Amino acid sequence: MYAAATESLIKQAREIKEEELQRFCGRIFKLLHTKDVSGDTVDSLQRLNLIVSATKYARELPSDLVMKLQTLLRSSSCPEQLQVLTSSIIRESFPSSVHSLCSDLSHDSRTFSHVASVVLAQVSHILESRLSDGQISRHALPILSKMSTVYPEILTDDQVNLVSRKLVDWLRYASMQQGASMSSGGFFSGPRTRQPAPLTEVDGVVTGDFFTVLCLGQSYTEDQWMNMYTFSMIKSWLLHVPSYAQPCNDDRSEVDSSVMSMVSATSSSSRLLPPKERLREKAFEYCQRLIEQSDRKALKKTDTELQKACIVESVSIMDIICGEDPSYVYRAFPCIKALYGRLNGDLAYARALLPIAQFYLNHSEIAAVDSEAVFCQLFSHCPAEQFNEPMLAFEFVQFCLLNASVLQDRVANYRQSFPNILKFLAGNSSGLIAEFVELLPSLIASDTAIELLHTILDLPCLAAALDLQQRSACYQASDRSAWDQQGAKVAACLDAFRQPSYRGLFLYILRPEAGTGDTIDRLKMLHEILADMAESPRVVQCAQVVPVLLHVYFNTVTQKADEKMMNQLLLVLLERSSLVFSTHLQALCKLHPPLIVDQSREILEFASSPANIYSKEDFYTHVVWVIGEYLSVSYDPRCTVELITSFFESLEAVLFEITQVRQSASPPSFSPRLITVLMTTLAKLATRSQDLIPRVSLCLSKMRTFARSAPVMTCYSEEDTEEIITRAHELINLLKLPNVAQFVLAPSAGGDGPRWHRDTNASLPQGMRAVSGLLHRHSSSLPT
């Protein structure tokens, strides 16, 4: 009885008239626009599902209803029961809406699963159809490629085999005649169809081999269009879709005998391979043919650009194929080596060198091929001569990022080429910051780390020099009027760029690799020459990037630097001291406290000069702080009383000079923080050589007079002056108990930041205030 009822429902579904179906679909469309999903809606969808599933042919539903069903299917908030029904209905209906269905693939796994089931079913139907609509196939391939890229595991092995067979047919066996085109006939005869003409190569010669994207014609057949679509997705398909080693028992390739006669014996035997392996073989042959075609002299510039794109794509596909099956490496290298020999030195093909270099990097060891010349060309000429090409810059940096670890281990001149690589950043700084933040650690090596630091600091100078290099190439020395159009300041810089006396400076800043000179002694001269370029947008952008790169640099270096490098870095910090170095100085000294003794002469020279306060106060303050924190025998047994005394006397003289009270004195141009840091550092040093305590106490006793003087009161707030007086009073009281002072002011592992010089909640001020209060309350009982 149940079976009879089912048969009756199926029969009714099959016999429903088209007019009745359209009316029923209209009713469902209205139901789906109500806010709440009723039982009537679900029942109607179940009935529609039965109708479209009951016939052997696909029923075409109204477009507005299909769009509404697609919207429900793609909505992650749609109840799953509705998603199941809508996916089943769309899957069984006429496959005309695959493209719109995949316009916005959901990241929700449940929704994506339902959408994928629809797409795969309809794509399979399209590909299996002997008379499939070419336009639908063109839409189906990109969608299939996108889905296989995002979720390759969603494809079954049967689907992979089916698609691979079709791709072989489209890729290798497209027709060799142009598509039919209409020509205007006579006035009475009307338009008539032209006879198909042969395809030509980019140089105009008639094509004699199989069709590729570099075969030209006035119009194309459907299988030729599918050939182009297939080539555009073959890389993604080979890269993301797993290979199923199952023999192809049912070859559904629609290839006529005339086309098959062109296939070689080798190609015929390849038909016995599993579908994806056969696709690999045909894709390899296709790429080899494209590389051969790219050697032809194109008649049009657009075809030359197409040749370049085909070289890049072909070499990349061959690289993937060789990675999947190393036996192809020996077949590929003669072709790749010949291609490199042809393109080497031609800047127009610079982007094509990247996939060639990738191929050498991946497979040269297997084939025992020397790759040194390839990478020498890549790292020396490309950045130096085409640093201002944004696309090349991006792809070049991406290549380095992708292969950073291999390049460090196997390519000797990778790290040596950082001056050249940084030219891409100098020329395209706004678009490559994130990439260089990630790339920079791979460029740091022990033998070039110091030079790399100088190069990062000189990045704005590099940007200016590259700008001048470009302008100088555009304007001859006699074209002074053209120079002046760029501005008098730039013209002056161009003059300097061309002068032989400055040639060494510019050769250094534009050097292609590390270890080719040193310009530290003449750095001030270089800055003076390029000063008029300081407002150039490119120079300003590079100056903004420098602190970011320095942060990455020091984070990397401090993890692997040895004692020798630490000492060299500290000297660079003192030589080129600036705001961006302040925190890095602390990190360096915290990691290796003996640096203070190792470089005591240079540090003492820097700290002894009050001029450094006015030009680089922040950095000077940090130098004073690290002296007080790390100049201690607890960190380095070489820290003698004599060394402590020399530092004390120098800082004492500085504090005395900047706090002298004179009627004619101008208001201080330094912050109160510097005064408190100097006082605290002097007190720390005195506790480590207690003969100095009377001298620092005398010095501190004068701070009230300084803080209350008229020049100071005019520029410091009441809070600032009170802070100076309080700090001096607390330190004086603390030093009355030398043993306690030595304990309170001793270096501590937690005192790694300068904030406690003004932070009332930090341990040092609290300790001093506690001792100060104790002294105040019990001064009569304490020893004097």
Side-chain angles (χ1 to χ4, degrees):
M1 180 177 177
Y2 178 77
T6 303
E7 281 293 330
S8 176
L9 288 172
I10 293 174
K11 184 178 180 182
Q12 290 177 25
R14 286 174 178 167
E15 294 176 353
I16 188 171
K17 302 297 184 183
E18 189 64 27
E19 292 181 3
E20 185 180 352
L21 175 60
Q22 295 300 317
R23 287 196 300 271
F24 181 58
C25 289
R27 180 169 172 267
I28 294 175
F29 184 75
K30 292 179 181 178
L31 288 172
L32 291 175
H33 276 79
T34 58
K35 291 185 178 180
D36 299 322
V37 179
S38 63
D40 191 20
T41 304
V42 175
D43 291 341
S44 298
L45 287 173
Q46 288 175 335
R47 185 183 172 197
L48 180 61
N49 184 38
L50 178 62
I51 291 171
V52 296
S53 305
T55 56
K56 293 182 179 179
Y57 59 92
R59 304 294 293 261
E60 186 167 2
L61 303 178
S63 59
D64 56 352
L65 176 60
V66 173
M67 293 299 293
K68 182 61 179 176
L69 292 174
Q70 289 181 0
T71 302
L72 288 173
L73 181 60
R74 292 198 302 263
S75 173
S76 57
S77 60
C78 177
E80 186 169 10
Q81 183 183 20
L82 281 187
Q83 282 189 321
V84 172
L85 283 171
T86 54
S87 66
S88 179
I89 292 168
I90 299 174
R91 191 164 55 243
E92 297 295 337
S93 62
F94 187 76
S96 60
S97 55
V98 178
H99 186 265
S100 60
L101 182 64
C102 289
S103 59
D104 183 22
L105 290 177
S106 171
H107 294 288
D108 175 64
S109 58
R110 187 193 75 187
T111 302
F112 182 86
S113 176
H114 290 303
V115 173
S117 68
V118 174
V119 174
L120 291 174
Q122 296 200 355
V123 169
S124 296
H125 174 76
I126 291 168
L127 296 179
E128 288 175 339
S129 173
R130 290 178 175 272
L131 299 173
S132 62
D133 186 339
Q135 293 290 336
I136 297 176
S137 296
R138 289 191 216 173
H139 285 154
L141 277 187
I143 293 165
L144 188 64
S145 176
K146 182 177 181 180
M147 295 185 64
S148 65
T149 300
V150 179
Y151 288 98
E153 66 277 0
I154 203 166
L155 297 170
T156 65
D157 51 352
D158 288 337
Q159 289 167 333
V160 171
N161 289 338
L162 170 63
V163 174
S164 296
R165 286 194 294 268
K166 296 299 292 187
L167 294 181
V168 166
D169 289 350
W170 286 324
L171 195 66
R172 189 62 173 81
Y173 306 123
S175 47
M176 293 300 298
Q177 297 292 321
Q178 294 187 34
S181 61
M182 303 297 291
S183 64
S184 58
F187 181 79
F188 297 102
S189 60
R192 62 176 179 269
T193 304
R194 288 179 178 175
Q195 290 298 319
L199 297 160
T200 63
E201 302 286 353
V202 292
D203 58 359
V205 177
V206 175
T207 299
D209 209 333
F210 61 87
F211 178 86
T212 71
V213 294
L214 285 178
C215 296
L216 307 180
Q218 295 296 319
S219 58
Y220 298 98
T221 62
E222 283 302 328
D223 63 347
Q224 288 167 355
W225 280 114
M226 293 310 298
N227 178 283
M228 301 177 202
Y229 273 73
T230 299
F231 178 65
S232 70
M233 69 163 284
I234 197 70
K235 177 180 174 181
S236 174
W237 183 262
L238 291 172
L239 196 59
H240 296 103
V241 177
S243 180
Y244 297 97
Q246 298 176 357
C248 177
N249 297 322
D250 179 21
D251 191 350
R252 306 181 185 184
S253 302
E254 306 299 328
V255 185
D256 59 31
S257 57
S258 62
V259 175
M260 282 299 296
S261 64
M262 298 187 299
V263 183
S264 65
T266 303
S267 299
S268 298
S269 63
S270 74
R271 294 177 66 84
L272 301 176
L273 295 171
K276 193 180 177 187
E277 293 185 22
R278 184 162 175 253
L279 174 61
R280 191 185 295 150
E281 172 71 28
K282 297 306 176 186
F284 187 85
E285 294 174 0
Y286 192 99
C287 292
Q288 283 184 311
R289 168 141 165 75
L290 281 178
I291 291 174
E292 292 171 3
Q293 288 177 292
S294 70
D295 194 23
R296 295 176 178 270
K297 181 68 175 178
L299 301 179
K300 297 180 180 178
K301 183 179 179 180
T302 53
D303 293 335
T304 301
E305 296 303 313
L306 180 60
Q307 285 178 307
K308 294 176 186 177
C310 287
I311 290 173
V312 171
E313 191 73 2
S314 297
V315 176
S316 298
I317 291 171
M318 293 173 76
D319 183 32
I320 294 170
I321 292 172
C322 291
E324 292 181 347
D325 186 349
S327 65
Y328 283 91
V329 171
Y330 303 97
R331 294 171 56 186
F333 249 115
C335 177
I336 300 297
K337 288 176 71 175
L339 177 64
Y340 173 72
R342 176 158 52 92
L343 303 185
N344 181 28
D346 189 345
L347 293 178
Y349 286 86
R351 287 179 61 193
L353 290 179
L354 291 172
I356 292 174
Q358 185 69 64
F359 190 94
Y360 271 87
L361 198 63
N362 291 343
H363 310 295
S364 60
E365 285 193 344
I366 295 177
V369 174
D370 184 20
S371 60
E372 183 178 355
V374 175
F375 292 105
C376 182
Q377 169 75 13
L378 184 69
F379 289 119
S380 61
H381 295 288
C382 286
E385 298 173 24
Q386 292 202 302
F387 61 87
N388 59 337
E389 292 292 334
M391 185 58 72
L392 175 63
F394 177 77
E395 292 178 355
F396 191 101
V397 176
Q398 288 296 319
F399 168 81
C400 293
L401 283 173
L402 179 66
N403 303 287
S405 59
V406 181
L407 290 171
Q408 291 176 73
D409 295 338
R410 289 173 44 193
V411 180
N413 64 334
Y414 169 64
R415 283 172 161 170
Q416 291 290 120
S417 300
F418 68 79
N420 249 3
I421 296 174
L422 284 171
K423 288 176 184 175
F424 281 128
L425 180 60
N428 307 271
S429 55
S430 59
L432 293 174
I433 297 174
E435 286 75 14
F436 268 90
V437 164
E438 187 178 352
L439 181 65
L440 186 61
S442 70
L443 297 174
I444 299 174
S446 57
D447 56 336
T448 58
I450 302 302
E451 186 178 345
L452 176 57
L453 176 57
H454 283 296
T455 307
I456 294 172
L457 291 168
D458 292 335
L459 193 63
C461 295
L462 176 60
L466 289 171
D467 194 352
L468 292 175
Q469 185 183 48
Q470 276 188 291
R471 294 175 188 270
S472 182
C474 295
Y475 305 118
Q476 297 299 318
S478 60
D479 296 339
R480 182 73 197 194
S481 59
W483 289 18
D484 291 337
Q485 291 174 6
Q486 303 296 322
K489 292 183 177 180
V490 176
C493 292
L494 278 167
D495 276 335
F497 183 80
R498 288 176 173 269
Q499 286 185 21
S501 58
Y502 297 137
R503 181 172 176 80
L505 278 174
F506 284 105
L507 285 177
Y508 172 78
I509 206 70
L510 294 171
R511 67 199 185 282
E513 59 184 17
T516 54
D518 188 358
T519 186
I520 298 304
D521 295 336
R522 304 174 69 195
L523 188 62
K524 186 177 180 181
M525 182 187 299
L526 181 66
H527 289 171
E528 290 174 353
I529 295 170
L530 299 174
D532 290 334
M533 299 286 290
E535 296 180 2
S536 165
R538 186 177 290 177
V539 173
V540 171
Q541 287 178 346
C542 284
Q544 294 169 343
V545 172
V546 169
V548 179
L549 295 182
L550 287 176
H551 181 72
V552 176
Y553 175 89
F554 279 100
N555 280 350
T556 305
V557 165
T558 51
Q559 294 175 13
K560 54 185 179 183
D562 56 18
E563 183 177 344
K564 180 181 177 182
M565 187 187 296
M566 289 285 191
N567 280 278
Q568 292 175 326
L569 286 173
L570 182 58
L571 290 177
V572 175
L573 298 190
L574 295 173
E575 287 173 342
R576 308 190 63 171
S577 53
S578 64
L579 176 63
V580 294
F581 277 152
S582 299
T583 55
H584 303 307
L585 173 68
Q586 289 178 250
L588 212 59
C589 292
K590 180 184 177 182
L591 192 67
H592 192 65
L595 284 174
I596 303 297
V597 178
D598 292 338
Q599 304 300 331
S600 58
R601 185 175 62 83
E602 288 79 7
I603 296 174
L604 191 58
E605 182 181 346
F606 181 87
S608 300
S609 174
N612 289 325
I613 296 176
Y614 303 108
S615 60
K616 48 196 85 168
E617 181 189 327
D618 189 81
F619 185 78
Y620 183 89
T621 305
H622 282 75
V623 170
V624 173
W625 185 86
V626 297
I627 291 171
E629 184 70 8
Y630 299 113
L631 188 64
S632 169
V633 71
S634 60
Y635 282 118
D636 193 329
R638 296 174 298 166
C639 186
T640 62
V641 172
E642 290 76 14
L643 185 60
I644 292 174
T645 302
S646 63
F647 271 93
F648 177 90
E649 290 175 345
S650 296
L651 296 180
E652 179 188 37
V654 170
L655 182 60
F656 175 77
E657 181 173 340
I658 66 175
T659 59
Q660 274 189 322
V661 179
R662 293 188 299 267
Q663 293 298 326
S664 60
S666 58
S669 58
F670 45 83
S671 67
R673 174 171 170 263
L674 174 64
I675 302 296
T676 59
V677 173
L678 274 167
M679 290 191 300
T680 305
T681 296
L682 286 170
K684 287 182 177 182
L685 296 178
T687 62
R688 298 164 199 167
S689 178
Q690 295 187 5
D691 291 341
L692 300 172
I693 289 179
R695 291 173 61 176
V696 73
S697 298
L698 178 63
C699 183
L700 293 172
S701 67
K702 298 177 181 180
M703 288 300 106
R704 175 179 290 275
T705 305
F706 165 75
R708 294 301 184 192
S709 64
V712 174
M713 295 290 288
T714 59
C715 66
Y716 286 176
S717 67
E718 182 66 28
E719 181 185 355
D720 289 335
T721 56
E722 198 59 40
E723 176 70 23
I724 294 172
I725 294 170
T726 302
R727 176 59 57 86
H729 180 68
E730 290 170 346
L731 288 171
I732 289 171
N733 283 337
L734 184 60
L735 291 169
K736 291 178 181 178
L737 297 173
N739 293 333
V740 176
Q742 189 175 17
F743 171 75
V744 174
L745 298 175
S748 61
D752 57 355
R755 72 180 187 88
W756 45 257
H757 287 297
R758 291 183 63 87
D759 189 348
T760 57
N761 295 317
S763 61
L764 181 59
Q766 283 184 341
M768 290 196 298
R769 286 180 173 82
V771 173
S772 181
L774 185 66
L775 287 168
H776 182 72
R777 288 194 300 270
H778 304 286
S779 58
S780 60
S781 62
L782 292 174
T784 58

